[in-house]
């Protein structure tokens, strides 16, 4: 049980710098998810916390002590790997107890801890099998069991669900969340899947190209993305990002359409500023088919190009500023391509980003 | 109308056998027939210089003689000792080399090729090479030792019982360590990285990672190498024959040098074949042992990733 601090941590491979001095403070018992596209440095960061990669510059502290030069075994952390990384020649029981055996713990205590972990994860019936005799989900549970028996200071998860099929992934996601509620410990979890990040995290750390783009609770990063990257990465379907120019208190798109500048952002933009207008599909709804009525609204008549019914809602594809944009229709009715509908734009939820820097104008 | 069954060589059931027939016939003529023939001669007083002795049935007399022959048993035990020492040394050195080469990144391919050089030499030439290295008068080793002031007389490398056996084992190890090194290196390349990292996080130091994770993973490769090499070493002949000829006074006699001497020099082919059959049993025993070990160590290796 400990807090983990990253202080200007840099990772270089030869001349190539892949992590550019990131700062991060992870609180005691917090569940933090590092998320980003592949190659963003999230796994490298996790492996530096684990001690599997050297830290080129900066410092990592676990529970207040600088651990830069400590080997993994002295950091008292557990890690769950993408490929489970079970020991193939050992039974499930031996796999679970291996860390404790290496630490020369009392065999009786090992047995108790293994039994406790097996019960937590529902592995009792599998203890005498070998990894080769287990399914993917079972292997992942053993890998998690191996992590919890040692009662470590922190759990590190490296894309633990990416090898499972879609259904099992959702199920294991719930189990990980339950596990964290049962076994209160600091968790650092790496994934490229923003849904996993949103559902699991106390706080999300969004990374790109070796930098941290934004840190916040799932709702913070969803409702107040700091830049266009975060805006497009978090949320599914992704936020519409449309190029526009601010003129006379209105946002003018290149195709002649325009919308008023949202009132909360009125003082933040200047005339003639090139911006990116961000609007989630949930906030672009045909009249009468939105979720919440009222609030700051504007209307736009748009032509529907394509519709994708999902049951409770239908995704509508349309064109704004020469770009494809998506809207959502709640309580859907059939829509045929080419149909022109009047859409409600929920302006209080719209975002404006500076076109040059990509930063949210609300942040400055 | 009743369809006529095609002749048997056109029926699907027989096609595989028909296609294998040339191979089966070849094996039959070049392996099985000589085996049966030599097995038969081991019950006769067959001498190469007197062909008619082929029909001289002596029953189990050849085998009785061998079992009562101290020289044979000395060679038998020496072969087992030789095999045990050589295989273990080759395994340990090969493992060390493989682990070291696995660590480096620059020049690894070159080193791998260089490592295979000893395997490219004919064993006869390796034998000559070491015969001259260990020669007591003109050998490079004695010369070096004397020049360095480490010894003041000629050390009888190929004459003394222990030194001569040591010299032969040295040559054998020099020539064949790379077999182990290459097979174990292949094993290390195939090894997944994740379990090793998991073990590090689980609290293992470098030695414990090796002992509990790397070594169990390598064992199947070790046993494959052991099986191949035990067959090779059990029939060791060329190096020994060139370096010492089994002598002096039988001090380095191994099974196959003894068998060759009995069969060709003493022309007692019947007795030599009887010895051959006993030594084959030895080889089968070793192969069986290593195969059992191999299967046991491979049992858990499937589906680990």
């Amino acid at each position: 049980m400990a807090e983990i601090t990253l202080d200007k941590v840099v990772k270089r491979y030869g001349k190539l710098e892949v992590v550019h001095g990131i700062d991060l403070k992870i609180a005691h018992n917090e569940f933090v998810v590092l998320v980003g596209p592949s190659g963003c440095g999230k796994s490298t960061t996790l492996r530096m916390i684990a001690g599997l990669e050297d830290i080129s510059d900066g410092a990592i502290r676990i529970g207040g002590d600088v651990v830069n030069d400590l080997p993994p075994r002295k950091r008292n952390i557990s890690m769950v790997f993408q490929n489970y990384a079970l020991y193939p020649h050992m039974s499930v029981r031996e796999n679970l107890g291996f860390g404790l055996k290496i630490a020369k713990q009392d065999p009786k205590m090992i047995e108790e801890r293994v039994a406790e972990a097996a019960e937590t994860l529902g592995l009792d019936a599998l203890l005498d099998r070998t990894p080769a005799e287990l399914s993917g989900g079972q292997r992942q549970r053993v890998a998690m069991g191996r992590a919890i028996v040692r009662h470590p200071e922190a759990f590190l998860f490296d894309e633990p669900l990416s090898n499972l099929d879609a259904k099992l992934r959702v199920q294991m996601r719930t189990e990980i969340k339950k596990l964290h509620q049962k076994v209160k410990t600091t968790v650092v979890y790496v994934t490229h899947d923003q849904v996993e990040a949103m559902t699991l995290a106390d706080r999300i750390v969004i990374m790109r190209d070796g930098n941290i783009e934004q840190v916040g609770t799932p709702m913070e990063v969803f409702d107040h993305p700091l830049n266009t990257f975060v805006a497009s990465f978090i949320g599914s379907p992704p936020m519409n990002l449309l190029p526009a120019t601010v003129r006379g208190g209105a946002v003018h798109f290149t195709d002649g359409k325009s919308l008023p500048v949202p009132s909360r952002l009125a003082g933040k933009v200047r005339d003639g500023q090139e911006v990116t207008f961000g609007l989630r599909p949930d906030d672009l709804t045909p009249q009468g088919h939105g979720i919440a009525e009222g609030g700051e609204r504007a209307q736009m008549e748009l032509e529907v190009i394509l519709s994708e019914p999902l049951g409770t809602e239908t995704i509508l594809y349309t064109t704004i500023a020469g770009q494809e944009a998506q809207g959502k229709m709640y309580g859907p009715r059939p829509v045929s391509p080419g149909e022109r509908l009047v859409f409600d734009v929920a302006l209080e939820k719209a975002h404006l980003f500076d076109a040059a820097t990509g930063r949210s104008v609300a942040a400055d | 109308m009743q369809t006529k069954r095609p002749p048997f060589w056109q029926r699907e059931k027989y096609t595989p056998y028909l296609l294998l027939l040339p191979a089966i016939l070849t094996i039959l003529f070049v392996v099985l027939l000589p085996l049966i023939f030599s097995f038969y001669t081991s019950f006769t007083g067959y001498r190469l210089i007197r062909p008619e002795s082929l029909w001289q049935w002596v029953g189990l007399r050849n085998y009785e003689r061998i079992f009562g022959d101290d020289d044979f048993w000395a060679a038998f035990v020496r072969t087992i000792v030789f095999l045990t020492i050589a295989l273990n040394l080759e395994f340990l050195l090969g493992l060390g080399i493989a682990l070291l080469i696995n660590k480096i990144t620059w020049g690894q391919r070159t080193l791998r090729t260089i490592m295979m050089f000893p395997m490219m030499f004919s064993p006869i030439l390796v034998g000559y090479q070491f015969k001259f290295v260990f020669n007591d008068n003109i050998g490079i080793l004695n010369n070096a030792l004397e020049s360095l002031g480490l010894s003041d007389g000629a050390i009888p490398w190929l004459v003394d019982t222990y030194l001569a056996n040591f010299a032969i084992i040295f040559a054998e190890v020099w020539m064949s360590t790379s077999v182990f090194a290459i097979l174990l290196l292949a094993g290390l390349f195939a090894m997944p990285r994740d379990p090793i990292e998991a073990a590090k996080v689980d609290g293992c130091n470098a030695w414990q990672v090796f002992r509990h994770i790397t070594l169990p993973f390598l064992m199947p490769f070790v046993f494959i190498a052991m099986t191949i090499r035990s067959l090779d070493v059990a029939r060791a002949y060329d190096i020994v024959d060139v370096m010492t000829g089994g002598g002096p006074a039988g001090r380095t006699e191994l099974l196959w040098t003894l068998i060759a001497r009995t069969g060709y020099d003493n022309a007692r082919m019947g007795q030599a074949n009887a010895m051959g059959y006993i030594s084959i049993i030895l080889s089968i025993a070793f192969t069986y042992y290593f195969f059992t070990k191999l299967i046991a160590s491979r049992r858990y290796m499937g589906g680990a990733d």
Side-chain angles (χ1 to χ4, degrees):
Chain A
M1 322 282 143
E3 59 170 50
I4 301 172
T5 318
L6 279 69
D7 189 8
K8 298 194 177 51
V9 171
V10 174
K11 177 67 193 177
R12 275 182 225 105
Y13 292 106
K15 282 187 181 148
L16 181 71
E17 192 172 299
V18 292
V19 175
H20 314 289
I22 58 173
D23 292 307
L24 184 63
K25 205 168 179 143
I26 298 162
H28 175 62
N29 286 355
E30 194 179 19
F31 198 126
V32 164
V33 175
L34 307 183
V35 66
S38 51
C40 71
K42 56 191 191 299
S43 278
T44 310
T45 305
L46 188 78
R47 291 167 59 81
M48 285 194 284
I49 298 175
L52 294 169
E53 298 279 355
D54 294 331
I55 300 154
S56 308
D57 225 327
I60 292 182
R61 291 186 191 82
I62 300 178
D65 308 316
V66 176
V67 296
N68 283 28
D69 298 319
L70 284 186
R73 67 194 157 94
K74 296 207 174 138
R75 297 193 183 189
N76 197 15
I77 34 111
S78 286
M79 186 154 168
V80 178
F81 293 80
Q82 180 174 357
N83 302 318
Y84 325 125
L86 301 179
Y87 310 127
H89 54 291
M90 299 183 197
S91 68
V92 170
R93 189 192 307 277
E94 289 164 327
N95 260 288
L96 292 176
F98 182 70
L100 295 172
K101 202 180 111 193
I102 287 296
K104 300 214 166 60
Q105 298 288 351
D106 174 37
K108 241 184 94 184
M109 180 268 230
I110 298 181
E111 210 177 301
E112 277 167 22
R113 291 270 192 95
V114 168
E116 177 195 76
E119 204 202 302
T120 312
L121 292 159
L123 291 168
D124 312 75
L126 308 173
L127 281 176
D128 293 314
R129 299 214 195 153
T130 61
E133 297 166 319
L134 302 177
S135 69
Q138 290 169 334
R139 286 180 199 177
Q140 191 56 66
R141 269 205 287 271
V142 176
M144 278 166 24
R146 195 172 59 183
I148 64 175
V149 288
R150 284 178 39 231
H151 294 186
E153 304 251 25
F155 288 132
L156 309 179
F157 288 86
D158 190 5
E159 308 223 12
L161 305 183
S162 55
N163 277 9
L164 302 177
D165 63 58
K167 200 176 157 193
L168 205 52
R169 200 177 307 157
V170 175
Q171 193 188 328
M172 290 301 292
R173 199 171 72 199
T174 320
E175 282 193 36
I176 290 177
K177 189 146 194 174
K178 279 188 196 151
L179 184 70
H180 180 243
Q181 281 163 2
K182 233 186 281 182
V183 190
K184 278 277 173 209
T185 310
T186 312
V187 174
V188 186
Y189 186 107
V190 161
T191 180
H192 60 267
D193 180 352
Q194 57 93 16
V195 181
E196 256 171 53
M198 290 291 285
T199 49
L200 287 172
D202 291 331
R203 269 195 312 154
I204 296 183
V205 177
I206 297 143
M207 293 185 68
R208 176 173 62 159
D209 297 337
N211 289 308
I212 292 179
E213 296 284 331
Q214 188 171 359
V215 181
T217 65
M219 288 326 286
E220 273 166 22
V221 297
F222 186 82
D223 287 336
H224 307 288
L226 273 182
N227 54 39
T228 48
F229 175 76
V230 175
S232 63
F233 195 80
I234 298 290
S236 171
M239 186 187 282
N240 300 305
L241 293 168
L242 309 160
T245 315
V246 177
R247 230 180 304 118
V251 178
H252 293 270
F253 297 106
T254 47
D255 58 358
K257 295 194 182 80
S258 69
L259 287 167
V261 170
S263 51
R264 73 188 159 93
L265 300 172
K268 308 262 187 180
V269 287
R270 51 176 204 281
D271 231 29
Q273 188 178 4
E274 300 282 323
V275 293
T276 304
F277 183 83
L279 187 68
R280 293 201 183 276
D282 312 67
D283 304 321
L284 182 65
T285 50
Q287 265 185 339
H289 291 279
I291 352 175
E293 302 293 327
E296 195 183 359
R297 288 281 188 278
Q299 276 73 42
M300 261 177 139
E301 199 189 88
L302 297 166
E303 185 185 333
V304 176
I305 303 165
L306 188 76
S307 66
E308 285 180 346
L310 295 174
T312 53
E313 68 213 39
T314 294
I315 311 279
L316 300 175
Y317 289 74
T318 175
T319 312
I320 304 174
Q323 276 192 15
E324 190 177 270
Q326 296 176 28
K328 261 189 194 173
M329 180 188 234
Y330 292 94
R333 63 170 177 81
V335 181
S336 46
E339 203 175 323
R340 296 187 72 83
L341 294 174
V342 177
F343 282 80
D344 270 333
V345 178
L347 280 180
E348 85 271 13
K349 291 200 177 159
H351 303 270
L352 283 177
F353 304 94
D354 184 81
T357 63
R359 279 182 64 80
S360 168
V361 298
D364 297 317
Chain B
M1 198 184 84
Q2 199 184 2
T3 40
K4 217 178 116 198
R5 269 162 72 85
F8 78 91
W9 65 84
Q10 285 178 7
R11 282 178 222 151
E12 209 174 319
K13 202 164 76 173
Y14 297 110
T15 315
Y17 299 99
L18 211 64
L19 293 172
L20 279 174
L21 197 62
I24 292 171
L25 283 179
T26 313
I27 288 173
L28 204 69
F29 279 110
V30 304
V31 178
L32 196 62
L33 282 187
L35 265 181
I36 293 168
F37 176 72
S38 63
F39 190 60
Y40 162 74
T41 57
S42 72
F43 296 104
T44 67
Y46 182 40
R47 281 163 172 269
L48 278 181
I49 46 169
R50 288 198 289 126
E52 73 280 5
S53 63
L54 188 54
W55 312 113
Q56 182 192 16
W57 183 263
V58 296
L60 288 171
R61 201 179 69 197
N62 281 332
Y63 288 95
E64 280 162 15
R65 276 208 191 138
I66 296 168
F67 281 113
D69 181 2
D70 288 343
D71 285 349
F72 175 78
W73 288 113
F76 188 87
V77 171
R78 199 174 287 120
T79 305
I80 293 177
V81 172
F82 180 75
L83 201 137
T84 312
I85 295 176
L87 282 189
N88 280 300
L89 276 180
E90 285 171 20
F91 162 54
L92 290 175
L93 290 173
L95 181 63
I97 292 172
L99 288 171
L100 287 175
I101 291 187
N102 192 41
K103 279 276 171 215
I104 60 169
T105 45
W106 189 84
Q108 196 186 54
R109 280 160 170 274
T110 321
L111 266 179
R112 252 152 58 198
T113 314
I114 293 175
M115 190 171 75
M116 290 173 78
F117 282 174
M119 290 167 70
M120 297 174 191
F121 294 118
S122 148
I124 299 271
L125 296 182
V126 174
Y128 277 118
Q129 172 195 323
F130 279 101
K131 187 177 188 173
F132 290 116
V133 168
F134 286 115
N135 186 290
D136 38 358
N137 289 318
I138 56 156
I140 190 172
L141 184 61
N142 271 350
N143 261 301
L145 288 176
E146 276 171 45
S147 306
L148 291 169
L150 294 173
S151 88
D152 44 8
I155 299 172
W157 288 108
L158 295 174
V159 180
D160 179 82
T161 309
Y162 293 107
L163 290 181
N165 281 301
F166 163 81
I168 292 173
I169 287 178
F170 188 92
E172 174 64 40
V173 168
W174 181 88
M175 187 174 70
S176 302
T177 293
S178 47
V179 177
F180 272 92
I182 285 162
L183 278 167
L184 295 184
L185 194 58
L188 287 172
F189 284 164
M191 176 149 200
R193 201 181 55 167
D194 284 357
I196 291 179
E197 294 191 332
K200 281 185 193 163
V201 175
D202 255 354
C204 288
N205 58 30
W207 163 251
Q208 286 164 329
V209 170
F210 175 76
R211 166 72 190 78
H212 295 288
I213 312 298
T214 314
L215 198 58
F217 182 86
L218 280 183
M219 279 332 268
F221 296 87
V222 172
F223 288 123
I224 288 171
M226 287 275 185
T227 313
I228 298 172
R229 292 295 304 144
S230 73
L231 289 173
D232 269 356
V233 179
R235 59 173 196 215
Y237 172 73
D238 17 30
I239 287 188
V240 187
D241 195 55
V242 168
M243 285 177 74
T244 65
R251 285 172 197 161
T252 56
E253 193 85 287
L254 297 184
L255 271 178
W256 284 100
T257 55
L258 179 67
I259 291 169
R261 192 186 321 289
T262 312
Y264 297 113
D265 296 357
N266 303 344
R268 289 220 275 252
M269 196 45 90
Q271 196 176 347
N273 281 336
M275 289 179 182
Y277 268 90
I278 293 175
S279 75
I280 282 177
I281 290 169
L282 179 68
S283 284
I284 291 177
F286 268 100
T287 311
Y288 178 79
Y289 172 74
F290 287 130
F291 245 79
T292 326
K293 289 282 205 182
L294 172 66
I295 288 163
S297 67
R298 271 180 60 169
R299 193 179 308 148
Y300 304 125
M301 288 304 162
D305 38 27

